[in-house]
Amino acid sequence: MKALKAKYLLVAAAVCLLAIVGLAYFFFLTSFSTKDETQYVCIDDDDTIDSVLFKMRPIASEHALSGFSTLIRHTDYASHPRTGRYAIAPGESTFSVMRKMKNGQQEAVMLTIPESRTMQKLAAVLGRKLMMDSLEIAEALIDDEYCRRWGYDTCTIAALFVPNTYEVYWNTTLDHFMERMVKEHDNFWNSERTAKAEAAQLSPDEVCTLASIIDEETANNDEKPMIAGMYINRLHKGMPLQADPTVKFALKNFELRRIYHDMLFYDSPYNTYRNTGLPPGPIKIASVKGIDAVLNFVSHDYLYMCAKEDFSGTHNFAISYAEHLRNAARYAKALNERGIK
């Protein structure tokens, strides 16, 4: 009788163990996500365990979320969630997700630095892609003291950024982000590019400034070295650049289709009709194509250019002012015919 009782107890224990193992498997080792594609959860400084669970609810099955909650509440994660952007792959277990988030094993963000016209625009993009606050970024990039920490001022800071795609962590701080941008800038300005800038009698910041103007003059990358050569000719002769994009920047009206005579007298250090030489800094974050166009400018004798009357986005170049006036008259006529104000 005792042996039979012991046998029943053993079987009951085995059943209980199997039930526990089954439940553990069901809650902790089955797929956390109900989605067919990798999902991402971003945890920031303000998150608590409850808000973390709320963010994960749209991704997780009910039993997985319960399992995750059970696991996470029995660790120090409950008192201090780790910030970051976490990838949750299809089929990944609840235990794996918990371990990843507890250990801060986040997924990097592929961040593209855009060719922004203003630092406020750049800040808005960074604020959408990273944990940083866009207002904090914008205020820092228009603060001279902060810009000086990185070797720039508020006019030249745009020259720091090389528009490219970078792998960064979502919870990076502004200082760490700026350190990364300095490193990428220094890598970009290798000995070859630096030597070409010196040959053009320009500093890297000046190259970026001229490139930013050329970028605004045309989207035609093939023509950019020609335009660069024309502006470099004017610089070397001490002539004002007379670049329309600098007037738009000075007026903070980037949508202007036509520059009128009275606009040319607008009082601003960026107005290259009133001021000789380059403006104080870039009028946007210059493109790599624009920068390399300046570094590989075409040598020629042209001193003037005017948009072509066929609205192809390219230009008519001229050596003499008289020839330039004829080109300008044809373009003005085409604008009038199209009713472009």
Side-chain angles (χ1 to χ4, degrees), residues 29-46:
L29 299 177
T30 54
S31 176
F32 180 85
S33 175
T34 61
K35 310 297 182 181
D36 296 328
E37 297 179 351
T38 298
Q39 304 293 305
Y40 297 91
V41 175
C42 295
I43 308 303
D44 59 41
D45 286 325
D46 296 329

Side-chain angles (χ1 to χ4, degrees), residues 80-98:
H80 184 63
R82 302 283 292 272
T83 62
R85 175 179 179 264
Y86 298 94
I88 301 176
E92 188 173 4
S93 72
T94 303
F95 181 78
S96 174
V97 172
M98 181 279 297

Side-chain angles (χ1 to χ4, degrees), residues 178-197:
M178 294 295 285
E179 288 171 1
R180 173 69 180 279
M181 291 299 99
V182 169
K183 179 180 177 181
E184 297 294 345
H185 173 277
D186 293 347
N187 289 340
F188 177 81
W189 281 100
N190 53 32
S191 57
E192 181 181 358
R193 283 193 172 99
T194 302
K196 287 181 177 180

Side-chain angles (χ1 to χ4, degrees), residues 292-324:
D292 285 341
V294 175
L295 297 178
N296 299 286
F297 69 93
V298 175
S299 294
H300 53 62
D301 296 326
Y302 295 124
L303 292 171
Y304 305 93
M305 74 174 190
C306 180
K308 284 185 177 179
E309 62 276 11
D310 62 2
F311 298 97
S312 61
T314 55
H315 296 78
N316 287 313
F317 293 87
I319 295 175
S320 70
Y321 186 58
E323 183 184 1
H324 171 64

Side-chain angles (χ1 to χ4, degrees), residues 101-118:
M101 295 182 69
K102 177 179 178 294
N103 295 333
Q105 296 172 341
Q106 59 175 306
E107 190 86 359
V109 174
M110 299 307 294
L111 174 68
T112 299
I113 299 296
E115 298 168 25
S116 304
R117 284 172 168 156
T118 65

